[in-house]
Amino acid sequence: MGRKKKRVAAKVWCYYCDREFEDEKILVQHQKAMHFKCHVCHKKLSTARGTVIHVLQLHKETVSKVPNAKPGRESTNIEIYGMEVIPHDVLAAHYDEDDPSKLAKVEIQSSQLGGSPVPGTLGIGVPPPPTLGAMRPVWKRAW
């Protein structure tokens, strides 16, 4: 039995500040510390939207932009977590490539963190929602 060869993956990078990282766990730690941290109590949150809600509910203040972000990327409306849900045009501009197969490698690699992937990020189409008449029956458990 031989050793498994490690697959060389593309570097991951922060959507907000373009800083590159070796793996996505370190990227998520960076985003929590630099971009999703409450400016009042210094709590580290997972997303920009989570930070906005936290600051509004607990501190009664409004946050209108992501701190330490490049101009044009400080919007709190996009739910960025690691490399997930980064717009394709930003991915293509960062990698200077128009080949969608290379962009898909980055997205597939980034979803291997664990947890459930965001629909549509793997390049796989999301099935349409079922109509009301076509719902599957719900079975009760017999205890």
Side-chain angles (χ1 to χ4, degrees):
M1 299 204 110
R3 291 185 183 189
K4 290 185 178 179
K5 292 183 180 179
K6 288 186 179 180
R7 201 168 72 176
V8 178
K11 287 190 177 189
V12 294
W13 52 277
C14 178
Y15 167 77
Y16 297 105
C17 64
D18 279 341
R19 184 172 168 194
E20 291 189 349
F21 299 92
E22 290 297 321
D23 68 11
E24 194 160 7
K25 286 183 181 181
I26 297 171
L27 168 62
V28 170
Q29 288 176 350
H30 159 80
Q31 287 176 336
K32 286 181 177 183
M34 296 298 295
H35 305 296
F36 307 145
K37 189 161 103 173
C38 174
H39 68 279
V40 179
C41 67
H42 306 292
K43 180 176 181 170
K44 295 176 184 174
L45 295 122
S46 296
T47 63
R49 189 76 189 136
T51 306
V52 169
I53 292 169
H54 164 82
V55 171
L56 183 64
Q57 289 181 346
L58 267 69
H59 308 298
K60 308 298 186 244
E61 296 179 16
T62 57
V63 176
S64 59
K65 62 180 187 172
V66 176
N68 303 316
K70 293 179 81 173
R73 294 191 187 174
E74 62 264 315
S75 173
T76 58
N77 296 331
I78 299 178
E79 281 292 311
I80 304 285
Y81 180 81
M83 287 287 292
E84 294 179 3
V85 198
I86 294 178
H88 276 304
D89 58 332
V90 176
L91 280 172
H94 182 80
Y95 290 111
D96 292 329
E97 296 180 12
D98 295 324
D99 187 6
S101 66
K102 291 186 181 178
L103 295 178
K105 286 181 187 175
V106 173
E107 291 173 0
I108 290 170
Q109 186 271 337
S110 69
S111 67
Q112 292 174 352
L113 259 183
S116 62
V118 177
T121 60
L122 298 177
I124 303 170
V126 179
T131 58
L132 292 177
M135 291 181 65
R136 290 189 273 169
V138 178
W139 303 99
K140 290 185 179 179
R141 290 187 178 179
W143 293 95

